[in-house]
Amino acid sequence: MVMRTWLKKARPRKLPFRRHVTRAAVALIYRDEPGSEALFFIQRARRDGDPWSGDMAFPGGRLQPGDRSSRDTAMRETGEETGLNLYREGLYRGRLSDLLTRHHSRWRPMVVTPHVFRWQGDTAFQLNHEARQGVWIPLAYLADPANQSRLPINTPLGTLTFPCCRYQDYCIWGLSYSMMREYLDKHGVS
């Protein structure tokens, strides 16, 4: 495989206050064998009180006291949620820009750091209770303008529309969509 340098040249945005708020990290896992370039997504399990219940996402979660770094968090959480062992079969490629969101049901800020890994194992996965489905989606499909859409969401402020990508019965939007777009833009697929 040709080593990609696109991510090393990227200058991801690091939010200066990230160490003073709740932090989370996710893993964008890609495979790049010719003819099967794809990103791995999970569909979150449906749970009461979870504002992103059932949404498409990248595996990940909150930093825990034992985690050495946000990259370690992304790797640990991926193993717990999907059975994909990034310590053994993931090649770390870099990070993308920090994103600001809110901490689940509270209005406190949370910073999410996406980390990118090239998958070097087989594509089988074993989901835990936090994930409902797992799917490898072709990069060409994700980048195709014909597959981009708008998602209306009812809010207290009225109906807002967000950009999204629809794949089969899945809809990628919000933070996951933003991370996906940054990845595709830096990868040169868009």
Side-chain angles (χ1 to χ4, degrees):
M1 292 293 142
V2 175
M3 288 297 255
R4 298 186 192 272
T5 58
W6 59 269
L7 197 53
K8 292 184 189 291
K9 294 178 183 177
R11 299 242 185 253
R13 182 176 47 92
K14 292 182 180 180
L15 295 175
F17 57 85
R18 71 185 180 281
R19 298 200 188 281
H20 304 288
V21 297
T22 301
R23 294 187 62 202
V26 299
L28 276 77
I29 305 165
Y30 72 94
R31 63 176 197 229
D32 66 353
E33 293 83 19
S36 67
E37 295 89 358
L39 267 179
F40 182 72
F41 290 85
I42 61 169
Q43 182 182 36
R44 295 170 55 92
R46 298 194 186 283
R47 295 189 303 202
D48 290 338
D50 181 351
W52 300 286
S53 180
D55 283 355
M56 295 302 288
F58 295 106
R62 286 194 309 259
L63 274 72
Q64 300 296 322
D67 294 337
R68 296 182 308 268
S69 64
S70 64
R71 174 171 54 170
D72 190 47
T73 300
M75 296 170 81
R76 175 184 55 77
E77 286 280 345
T78 296
E80 290 173 9
E81 293 176 3
T82 69
L84 297 177
N85 188 332
L86 292 174
Y87 294 101
R88 191 177 62 236
E89 298 178 296
L91 177 63
Y92 184 65
R93 304 301 291 154
R95 67 186 295 284
L96 298 177
S97 297
D98 289 335
L99 294 168
L100 182 64
T101 187
R102 68 182 175 92
H103 186 271
H104 283 279
S105 60
R106 296 173 242 159
W107 285 103
R108 289 189 294 166
M110 182 170 69
V111 171
V112 180
T113 303
H115 293 276
V116 179
F117 298 85
R118 179 175 172 254
W119 183 246
Q120 302 178 118
D122 67 43
T123 57
F125 49 87
Q126 190 167 4
L127 303 175
N128 76 358
H129 66 279
E130 298 178 72
R132 184 175 179 199
Q133 298 285 331
V135 61
W136 289 94
I137 303 178
L139 293 182
Y141 185 95
L142 295 170
D144 188 341
N147 301 320
Q148 308 310 303
S149 185
R150 305 290 290 174
L151 177 67
I153 301 286
N154 294 325
T155 74
L157 302 173
T159 301
L160 302 176
T161 59
F162 296 90
C164 69
C165 179
R166 296 180 188 277
Y167 178 75
Q168 297 175 358
D169 291 334
Y170 305 112
C171 182
I172 303 160
W173 71 285
L175 290 180
S176 298
Y177 183 83
S178 297
M179 293 173 203
M180 178 196 79
R181 291 302 328 162
E182 183 179 2
Y183 173 83
L184 293 173
D185 290 346
K186 289 184 182 341
H187 194 286
V189 180
S190 56

